[in-house]
Amino acid sequence: MTDQTGDRRLGFAPVVGTETRLLILGSLPGDASLKAAQYYAHPRNAFWPLIGGVLGEDLAAQPYEQRLERLKARGVGLWDVIASAERSGSLDAAIRSPEAADLRGLIGSLPRLRAVAFNGKLAAKSGRRIIGDVAGVGLIDLPSSSPAHAIPLTSKANVWNSLTDLVER
């Protein structure tokens, strides 16, 4: 989505449930995601295969709404650290004038939350600054699932698989 200026990108609503134990935060949806109105819609973004590996489910093969339902059923939530920003294109480096998402408010509404995982460096840097210390909630930095973060998928998966113990069985 963009606002009336055409440059300002607006993020999506959080995807969480009452049983959310793990919250994964990205930076801000890219152009493909905004156009599709779906988290991680770019076909080369590895998010769905990576989180599917964590859950032991082929989420990438499922329809989008079913993917979200499977995440919530397994205690996984999604959101972004930036609620809106000016950006041309999809790269995090192009983000200007970011407005922070209400991460502390969301975290306070999730009584079973055990960890927040940041999908990429900008999400980690901004998210850690916004969140600060939250008692009982671990903070985990993940390599970005973006195709712009050019490390092998197996290397990304090795780190992402550390989330396995945080999801509902």
Side-chain angles (χ1 to χ4, degrees), residues 1 10 12 28-43 45 47-48 64 80 87 90:
M1 298 178 167
L10 305 175
F12 303 135
L28 181 70
D31 287 347
S33 293
L34 292 168
K35 184 175 180 181
Q38 297 180 359
Y39 279 101
Y40 303 103
H42 191 288
N45 191 298
F47 176 81
W48 294 109
Y64 180 71
D80 291 302
R87 180 174 65 194
S90 296

Side-chain angles (χ1 to χ4, degrees), residues 23 38 57 107:
L23 179 62
Q38 297 180 359
E57 297 184 37
I107 289 169

Side-chain angles (χ1 to χ4, degrees), residues 41-65:
H42 191 288
R44 292 187 325 158
N45 191 298
F47 176 81
W48 294 109
L50 288 168
I51 195 63
V54 170
L55 300 179
E57 297 184 37
D58 187 2
L59 293 179
Q62 298 176 16
Y64 180 71
E65 291 303 323

Side-chain angles (χ1 to χ4, degrees), residues 18-19 26 34 50 83 101 103 109 111 114 139 149:
T18 58
E19 301 300 310
L34 292 168
L50 288 168
L103 300 179
S109 74
R114 292 182 47 209
L139 303 179
H149 186 62

